[in-house]
Each structure stands twice: as structure tokens, then as C-alpha cells.
Amino acid sequence: MTTTPRRTLAIGIAGLGAIFQHEVTRNTTAALSSGAGREVLQHTAHGKLMTALVSGEVGHLAHSLPPAASTALMHSYRVGFTEAFTTILTIAAMVALAGAVFAFAPVRGRDFVSSESAPSAEQPAPAVGAAA
């Protein structure tokens, strides 16, 4: 089975999306586990936090929390989102660089064809204004 460019692109986007979702969840919970975020973790028992992070409903969850916990949650979510976005951009840049290297690697110097041949050392260039 051969993969088409569209299928390869879709697989790449799905992979980056999965990495992004994982990183948002991991980075947000890591940011919450320090300082004022512990109160958020206590108020969001029974998997509400993970469900909100995966579904993108963090704003709705934040409105149901006390003000200090809501602020801590939204700050941690922004930190997690930014770090996750940085991660997938780094991965995408490395894949693009590797693709560029692998695309350029098989090109050889003799594959380049010039439209006009340069005069060789044995054949003198014609003099300007000389009669033919």
C-alpha cells in the first residue's frame, strides 16, 4: 500500500495534534501542582480537570471555581498551552529540516544543466567587432 501526499499530511497533523493534547494536559497539571494550583486540584476531583483539558472546556470549569482557583487554573492552562505549542512547532521545524536535507541529498552537481555552454580554455572567445 502506498501513501498519498494527502494521507501523509493527515497523519502528520493527527500526530502533532495528539502530541499537542498530551503536552497541554501534562504541562497544565504540572503548573497546577505548584503553589495556588493545589486548590484547583482539590476542587476539581472526579476527573473534571482532565475532561476539561482534553475537551477544551477549561473556561467553563474555571467559572465554577472560586476566584483564586479560577485564576490559578486559567494561568496554568495558558502556560501549558504555550509550552505545548512551542513543543509541536519545534517538532514540525525538525521534520521540515530533515525533509529538506533528504530532498536535497540526492541532487548531484552533474544534474544541473546550463542553458548556455561556457567557452573552454582550448577554444578562444570570438573577438568583438571581428568580421565573420
Side-chain angles (χ1 to χ4, degrees):
M1 181 173 109
T2 61
T3 58
T4 63
R6 286 185 179 166
R7 183 177 296 166
T8 304
L9 184 62
I11 291 169
I13 290 171
L16 286 175
I19 292 169
F20 181 74
Q21 181 180 0
H22 170 75
E23 288 293 308
V24 166
T25 303
R26 185 177 67 83
N27 292 328
T28 302
T29 54
L32 282 172
S33 65
S34 63
R38 291 187 183 133
E39 183 181 342
V40 175
L41 292 175
Q42 291 171 353
H43 282 91
T44 57
H46 307 296
K48 288 182 186 177
L49 178 62
M50 294 303 160
T51 304
L53 288 172
V54 169
S55 67
E57 298 291 325
V58 176
H60 294 296
L61 179 61
H63 290 302
S64 68
L65 296 173
S70 175
T71 302
L73 174 61
M74 291 310 293
H75 174 72
S76 297
Y77 181 66
R78 287 183 188 109
V79 168
F81 187 92
T82 303
E83 289 178 6
F85 195 65
T86 302
T87 300
I88 65 166
L89 286 180
T90 302
I91 291 169
M94 288 188 297
V95 169
L97 180 63
V101 167
F102 287 128
F104 187 70
V107 177
R108 302 171 297 199
R110 63 181 177 198
D111 291 338
F112 294 106
V113 178
S114 64
S115 60
E116 188 178 298
S117 63
S120 65
E122 297 172 5
Q123 189 179 27
V128 179

